[in-house]
Amino acid sequence: CFGSSARCYRPGDEVFFGRSGTYNLPAFGDRGLVKKTTCRGVVVDFGEKGLLLLNFADILPQQPLPDDCSVGTKLHYGGPKREYENGDVLNFGDVGEISGTCGSSKTEADRLIIKFVGHQNAKRIRRALLFSELSIPGGYRLGERVYWCGSAWALADGDRLQFGQEGEIAGCTDVCDGMDKERVAVLFKGNKQPVAMHLVEISRVAPSIPGGLQVGDKVYYAWPNWTAPDGSTLTFGTEGKVAGCSCAGDGSHDEQLWVKFGDAFACIELNQITTEPPSIPGGFKLGE
């Protein structure tokens, strides 16, 4: 191990690039693995960036914090209520202090280690759920009543959603796909866990289906045959059942709805369906 005051790095140690990168160099905070230590510095493998010989001052033993954070910074937790096996309970709005980062793996790189008052140990929290000023997208408030506007939906954990099902705002979401500002976490009645909902999928008032239709009403496809990108075909006269509002978010929710045709769902405009089997003008038959 070389260097008197420098940390001793060994092959396989995880390190991070500690200065602003330039062309063909890693970016600040990029992860690498130590290959060997020499009297001239540390040889680090940065994957696609290759092997680099770096000075001890150019590498960090821990992943650096985001630019807007530092150890001791106080942040608000904005996610749904969490209960831990050791008895700790984390509630929306709780304030904690940053004590470090979690690592650089795909599951840990976007998390910070937060110490919350009264908790037995620090928690690993996604950055998306931590706020300096707390607010819920859509202007919603914690516990506010909302309704599901989409079709029936079975979730992987056994929870279910039905059109018009009532729920309560539980906090912000951490899907981390760049769209969390357009989502909220909702705990629906009868379900065990909150679920991430796009703002266009919920309503503050009980939803109604366009055209005066009700979930389960029988309708028929009355437009020309149509083939979907996946190869499935919707043919003139096919019978279906109304399943819910469109929730498309394109401003046409008063003109569209979800209809279940067999095992498939389709977002259909009102003028494309009828409540009675359709007929072709002039007495013609389909395919004639």
Side-chain angles (χ1 to χ4, degrees):
C1 181
F2 295 89
S4 57
S5 61
R7 169 174 172 157
C8 180
Y9 293 101
R10 295 180 174 82
D13 281 354
E14 181 181 68
V15 294
F16 302 88
F17 195 62
R19 60 183 171 90
S20 298
T22 57
Y23 176 73
N24 209 32
L25 284 178
F28 177 77
D30 276 0
R31 172 184 178 274
L33 294 176
V34 172
K35 301 301 289 185
K36 64 179 180 179
T37 303
T38 73
C39 60
R40 297 173 57 196
V42 183
V43 178
V44 181
D45 184 358
F46 285 99
E48 294 181 356
K49 292 291 184 179
L51 294 174
L52 294 176
L53 176 61
L54 301 175
N55 294 325
F56 286 99
D58 291 334
I59 57 178
L60 301 171
Q62 293 183 330
Q63 187 179 36
L65 288 165
D67 291 340
D68 59 343
C69 296
S70 61
V71 172
T73 297
K74 288 183 169 59
L75 296 173
H76 300 265
Y77 172 69
K81 179 180 179 180
R82 294 184 181 180
E83 297 180 354
Y84 296 86
E85 292 182 357
N86 66 354
D88 287 346
V89 178
L90 184 57
N91 293 299
F92 176 89
D94 283 355
V95 177
E97 290 187 356
I98 296 175
S99 63
T101 57
C102 294
S104 62
S105 67
K106 288 184 177 179
T107 58
E108 296 290 340
D110 63 344
R111 287 177 165 85
L112 298 177
I113 299 175
I114 307 293
K115 292 182 179 179
F116 292 97
V117 176
H119 284 216
Q120 299 178 47
N121 49 39
K123 303 296 184 289
R124 288 172 162 79
I125 306 295
R126 276 188 166 173
R127 186 70 177 87
L129 295 179
L130 297 168
F131 304 87
S132 54
E133 295 183 4
L134 193 57
S135 65
I136 299 176
Y140 284 105
R141 304 183 310 276
L142 185 69
E144 187 172 351
R145 181 185 300 172
V146 293
Y147 300 87
W148 166 239
C149 298
S151 57
W153 188 10
L155 305 178
D157 62 359
D159 283 348
R160 292 181 175 275
L161 292 177
Q162 299 290 338
F163 174 78
Q165 190 168 343
E166 183 180 322
E168 291 186 353
I169 298 293
C172 302
T173 66
D174 59 344
V175 179
C176 298
D177 60 352
M179 295 293 292
D180 281 316
K181 291 183 179 179
E182 300 295 325
R183 291 191 185 93
V184 291
V186 181
L187 179 60
F188 288 96
K189 282 188 174 181
N191 288 351
K192 300 181 291 294
Q193 297 292 334
V195 61
M197 292 279 105
H198 286 281
L199 294 177
V200 296
E201 296 175 327
I202 59 175
S203 171
R204 286 182 166 91
V205 297
S208 59
I209 297 175
L213 296 168
Q214 303 291 327
V215 170
D217 282 355
K218 186 183 298 184
V219 293
Y220 301 85
Y221 181 64
W223 271 44
N225 297 349
W226 177 75
T227 301
D230 64 0
S232 59
T233 301
L234 185 57
T235 58
F236 177 84
T238 298
E239 179 182 312
K241 289 186 176 181
V242 173
C245 298
S246 71
C247 302
D250 58 1
S252 59
H253 59 277
D254 290 335
E255 303 170 359
Q256 295 180 339
L257 65 158
W258 280 106
V259 178
K260 186 176 183 181
F261 294 101
D263 294 328
F265 290 86
C267 188
I268 299 291
E269 294 186 4
L270 277 175
N271 61 357
Q272 294 177 326
I273 57 174
T274 60
T275 56
E276 299 292 336
S279 59
I280 300 174
F284 289 102
K285 301 294 184 182
L286 187 65
E288 193 172 357

